[in-house]
Amino acid sequence: ETNKENALVTVENTLQEAENLQFNISGLEDEQNDFGSLTPDLVIRIFSYLDIADLLNIQLVSQEWLVYGRCDNLWKELYEAADWKYAFTTVAFSSWYEFFKKRYLNEIGALDDGEPDLVDLLQDTENVTIEKLRRLLEMEEFVMALQNGEDAVLTYLEAPSTIIAMMNLLFKEPFVTDDLQNQRIIHITVQTLVSGIITDVFIMNTDLLHILFDHLDELDLISPGAQAKSSCMSKIISILFEKFTMQMIGHFQSRESFIPSLLLNIQDNNLMEMLYKFVDSDLTHQWLFESDLTTRLVALLHQDETIEIQEQSANVLVSVLSLCQSWPQSALVNDMLNNEVITGSIIGYMESKPLNGEAVKLGLRVLIGILSLISDELEDPPAVVTLLANSIGFFTKILLDPENMDNAEPFNTTTGPIQRGFGFVRLGVLELLVSLLYTGFPNVVEFMLEERVFPVILDLMFQFPWNNIIHNQISQLFSGLFCCNNPEVIITVMEDCGLPERIADAHNNAAEKPVGFLGHLRELANELVRAGKMSDIIAEYLETKPAWLAFLEDDLKEFNLIECVVQDDYLDYDNQYFQEDQFEEYEVIEEADLSGGFEEYDEAEPIQEY
């Protein structure tokens, strides 16, 4: 120990000498010395082979060597390779040289103070500080005893004062991401807190849980290392929730600030992943409903919030809605479907003036997610359907796109120039209308008829003849209409938009003006034929359309044969059936007589066993 202390003092004196010495030897360069011709990388590579004493000495040669001798790469490597014995509170530093020096001086001070050994530290469970805990975690002897599960170590860790110190170490101390030793200490601390013995102490001592959630309330996600802190917080709470679900839900309910604290840090993915674990359990839905989770998330969809907050809020809402689909009868799902404040706030957010394309897209994503929660068991339309049906006029205006909310610009395609693209905003509106129509509630169709949705979308199909994505959405809308089992409504739509005539005309003009939606039009034509087979009123209406009848007899029959469309349940085309004589050239044996076929084997000798 005496030799080590003397050596440390010598190095300390050398460090001080290097800092106090003034350099003025720039004129002593040897003309024959071409060391200066080396690149900085090579110089640092050479210096990396020096020990600490030599690395300090070369700093006395010149100002240039002083800079090389204090290079961060050199001192970081020395710091990580050093065998530090005593705890050291991480502090801010300007260079690895300065950090190494502070840690080195800390080692000398620890030697002078006569640090206690492992046994002494483990016996002191009343005055556990971050410094003492860090000192323990840096001892290999302690880590080995922890891995072996020695009673003295476990007793020390189970003490509430030790658990509090571990939480303070995680959430109050600054994180130095480049410090491997600090990362090792953090890892050991987290693994200890989520171990079985410590989680049991948490549940039995609610004061410790309150302290844990106090750290969550005070979590600063702007400071360096914030993501690491939130990761530790998420892991600890998630493990406690998985092991003691009902007890933790009870604590969440008593902690009114828990959900607000989570949503205050909505941009932190670690904390949001923890929230998703809560949602992915029907046991939590009553608590999440009482905590106004959905209402609080929707409140963040506001023009006063930053666009990043708005986008993250929409993302979290969509993820929560997706997880809720497994429990359609839960209180949380019922709140999403029937809370007029939730749907009204989203619609109001989208309608805010001036109209904003990004806000409309975010609102559409959330509304489509809410509609996905509707189950077939619902007899009456929920509030979300009623409010959206009343807002169909707003969505129809977006389809007409007077505002050009996507800021679409002209562009060229292989089929010619496009003055304005369709845009993601209008595509989102089509997806919403499809989801709304397929809920199956009659009031939706009534508002679509009132706002003339079907003529508008059919015009869009012809306006964008090569956009297969919108063709598919529009085709789904018409298919949903044909399934409404209301012949008067179907005839009204066909008369309003001239669907049979436009289908026939598009095929008649296909040679002169090729388009990409003919396949979708033929699908709608076949569905119209089916509707006519099922309703005399529709059939009589279609009989009054000569162009439609000619299309059925010529084009549709031919294309159905080419495209192998088999609709024999309601179409009487002769070509839908297999020809009866197509297999006549093959002889079919109705009854095979195999008697006596194996007579030659009857007298065969059995195989001998070996």
Side-chain angles (χ1 to χ4, degrees):
E1 289 295 331
T2 302
N3 293 334
K4 181 176 180 179
E5 183 175 358
N6 293 335
L8 291 173
V9 173
T10 301
V11 174
E12 179 186 10
N13 293 335
T14 308
L15 282 168
Q16 190 64 38
E17 182 181 358
E19 290 185 347
N20 296 333
L21 197 60
Q22 300 294 324
F23 307 102
N24 190 16
I25 55 175
S26 57
L28 299 180
E29 296 182 358
D30 188 354
E31 295 181 358
Q32 296 180 353
N33 181 10
D34 57 353
F35 191 84
S37 64
L38 298 178
T39 63
D41 290 342
L42 287 176
V43 175
I44 293 173
R45 176 76 178 275
I46 293 171
F47 285 176
S48 68
Y49 292 100
L50 301 177
D51 57 22
I52 295 177
D54 289 335
L55 197 56
L56 294 172
N57 286 332
I58 60 106
Q59 297 179 27
L60 306 178
V61 174
S62 66
Q63 194 72 28
E64 181 181 8
W65 282 32
L66 173 64
V67 175
Y68 283 136
R70 295 189 178 184
C71 174
D72 273 349
N73 291 342
L74 296 174
W75 290 97
K76 179 183 177 183
E77 184 176 347
L78 288 171
Y79 180 87
E80 293 175 350
D83 184 19
W84 306 111
K85 297 296 184 184
Y86 301 104
F88 178 66
T89 301
T90 304
V91 295
F93 58 92
S94 58
S95 68
W96 278 98
Y97 170 79
E98 294 294 336
F99 191 51
F100 184 96
K101 177 182 175 182
K102 291 178 180 178
R103 184 70 184 269
Y104 207 87
L105 295 176
N106 179 77
E107 292 281 302
I108 295 175
L111 278 174
D112 293 340
D113 295 340
E115 287 293 311
D117 59 11
L118 176 61
V119 176
D120 295 333
L121 290 172
L122 291 178
Q123 290 177 347
D124 185 11
T125 57
E126 296 182 358
N127 302 309
V128 182
T129 62
I130 296 178
E131 290 74 18
K132 291 181 179 180
L133 180 63
R134 185 182 290 274
R135 191 178 306 159
L136 266 177
L137 295 172
E138 289 179 342
M139 292 182 178
E140 290 297 331
E141 184 182 358
F142 173 81
V143 175
M144 292 297 295
L146 176 61
Q147 292 175 347
N148 295 330
E150 296 184 8
D151 292 339
V153 173
L154 298 180
T155 302
Y156 175 81
L157 294 175
E158 291 175 349
S161 58
T162 306
I163 296 175
I164 293 172
M166 285 192 283
M167 289 191 286
N168 291 337
L169 174 63
L170 289 177
F171 304 118
K172 286 190 174 181
E173 290 291 290
F175 273 48
V176 181
T177 55
D178 292 337
D179 187 351
L180 293 180
Q181 179 69 0
N182 185 68
Q183 293 180 19
R184 179 173 179 266
I185 291 174
I186 297 301
H187 175 74
I188 295 174
T189 304
V190 173
Q191 292 302 114
T192 302
L193 286 173
V194 299
S195 63
I197 57 171
I198 305 301
T199 53
D200 291 343
V201 176
F202 264 114
I203 290 300
M204 292 185 293
N205 191 335
T206 56
D207 290 339
L208 294 176
L209 285 175
H210 282 297
I211 294 173
L212 176 64
F213 289 114
D214 286 341
H215 284 299
L216 174 62
D217 294 341
E218 300 168 0
L219 203 58
D220 181 12
L221 295 180
I222 302 177
S223 61
Q227 290 297 315
K229 291 185 178 182
S230 67
S231 177
C232 296
M233 178 67 71
S234 175
K235 185 171 184 178
I236 295 170
I237 297 179
S238 296
I239 293 295
L240 287 170
F241 175 74
E242 290 173 7
K243 295 184 66 175
F244 309 100
T245 303
M246 297 309 299
Q247 294 94 320
M248 289 299 293
I249 291 176
H251 189 78
F252 294 151
Q253 291 173 328
S254 66
R255 186 89 182 186
E256 296 181 358
S257 64
F258 180 66
I259 292 297
S261 295
L262 281 184
L263 299 186
L264 187 64
N265 301 305
I266 194 170
Q267 290 184 282
D268 185 89
N269 292 329
N270 295 315
L271 296 180
M272 291 304 102
E273 287 294 333
M274 180 177 66
L275 175 62
Y276 299 151
K277 291 180 181 179
F278 299 153
V279 177
D280 196 21
S281 170
D282 60 334
L283 298 176
T284 63
H285 283 203
Q286 183 65 36
W287 156 59
L288 293 173
F289 160 66
E290 295 171 355
S291 301
D292 295 325
L293 172 65
T294 310
T295 305
R296 294 177 186 275
L297 283 170
V298 170
L300 296 176
L301 291 175
H302 196 280
Q303 301 288 2
D304 292 340
E305 300 288 349
T306 64
I307 187 61
E308 292 80 13
I309 293 293
Q310 296 175 47
E311 289 177 350
Q312 183 65 4
S313 301
N315 292 336
V316 173
L317 273 166
V318 171
S319 298
V320 169
L321 293 168
S322 177
L323 291 170
C324 286
Q325 292 182 16
S326 301
W327 298 280
Q329 307 300 328
S330 74
L332 185 61
V333 171
N334 182 68
D335 182 53
M336 294 173 181
L337 292 177
N338 293 292
N339 191 331
E340 295 183 0
V341 174
I342 292 175
T343 305
S345 298
I346 299 173
I347 296 175
Y349 164 69
M350 299 166 64
E351 293 179 343
S352 298
K353 300 293 184 178
L355 290 180
N356 183 292
E358 290 300 320
V360 174
K361 284 191 290 186
L362 294 176
L364 288 170
R365 288 181 57 208
V366 177
L367 290 172
I368 292 171
I370 295 177
L371 290 175
S372 68
L373 299 176
I374 298 177
S375 65
D376 296 336
E377 299 175 2
L378 291 179
E379 297 181 359
D380 299 321
V384 62
V385 172
T386 302
L387 291 176
L388 286 178
N390 281 279
S391 300
I392 286 178
F394 168 70
F395 297 118
T396 305
K397 291 179 182 178
I398 294 179
L399 288 177
L400 296 173
D401 197 24
E403 305 281 344
N404 188 19
M405 285 185 288
D406 272 309
N407 298 318
E409 299 179 355
F411 59 94
N412 294 319
T413 68
T414 55
T415 60
I418 302 294
Q419 293 302 315
R420 180 188 293 180
F422 190 75
F424 289 103
V425 174
R426 290 196 284 182
L427 181 60
V429 171
L430 286 179
E431 293 177 0
L432 176 69
L433 292 177
V434 171
S435 300
L436 191 57
L437 181 61
Y438 277 78
T439 59
F441 295 107
N443 61 332
V444 175
V445 178
E446 293 174 5
F447 279 98
M448 286 187 173
L449 290 177
E450 182 179 337
E451 299 295 340
R452 302 190 72 248
V453 169
F454 294 99
V456 170
I457 63 175
L458 189 59
D459 289 342
L460 289 173
M461 177 180 278
F462 282 81
Q463 183 181 346
F464 296 90
W466 297 103
N467 193 328
N468 188 62
I469 298 176
I470 67 170
H471 298 165
N472 184 57
Q473 297 291 332
I474 293 171
S475 178
Q476 289 187 56
L477 279 169
F478 276 101
S479 297
L481 171 70
F482 297 151
C483 295
C484 73
N485 296 324
N486 190 327
E488 289 77 11
V489 169
I490 296 175
I491 292 175
T492 300
V493 171
M494 287 192 292
E495 190 67 28
D496 195 16
C497 61
L499 180 61
E501 295 90 341
R502 297 185 75 171
I503 292 176
D505 292 342
H507 283 81
N508 292 336
N509 300 327
E512 300 177 2
K513 188 178 180 181
V515 291
F517 51 71
L518 292 181
H520 290 93
L521 289 183
R522 286 193 292 273
E523 289 179 3
L524 296 180
N526 283 319
E527 293 193 29
L528 267 180
V529 173
R530 179 181 184 182
K533 291 291 183 179
M534 300 179 65
S535 170
D536 293 338
I537 299 176
I538 296 176
E540 292 174 1
Y541 171 80
L542 293 175
E543 288 291 335
T544 64
K545 307 295 180 181
W548 166 258
L549 296 176
F551 165 71
L552 288 184
E553 185 64 27
D554 298 328
D555 294 335
L556 187 60
K557 181 183 293 187
E558 179 181 353
F559 277 111
N560 281 345
L561 178 62
I562 295 173
E563 297 171 357
C564 300
V565 177
V566 180
Q567 297 176 322
D568 55 298
D569 57 333
Y570 56 88
L571 296 182
D572 294 332
Y573 298 156
D574 295 335
N575 56 33
Q576 300 286 327
Y577 301 90
F578 291 111
Q579 297 181 8
E580 295 180 359
D581 59 346
Q582 59 181 321
F583 296 113
E584 286 183 356
E585 58 182 296
Y586 300 100
E587 180 180 359
V588 179
I589 302 176
E590 296 183 358
E591 294 184 4
D593 184 9
L594 299 179
S595 60
F598 297 96
E599 291 178 355
E600 57 183 299
Y601 299 102
D602 290 345
E603 300 178 358
E605 296 182 359
I607 299 175
Q608 297 181 359
E609 297 182 358
Y610 294 92

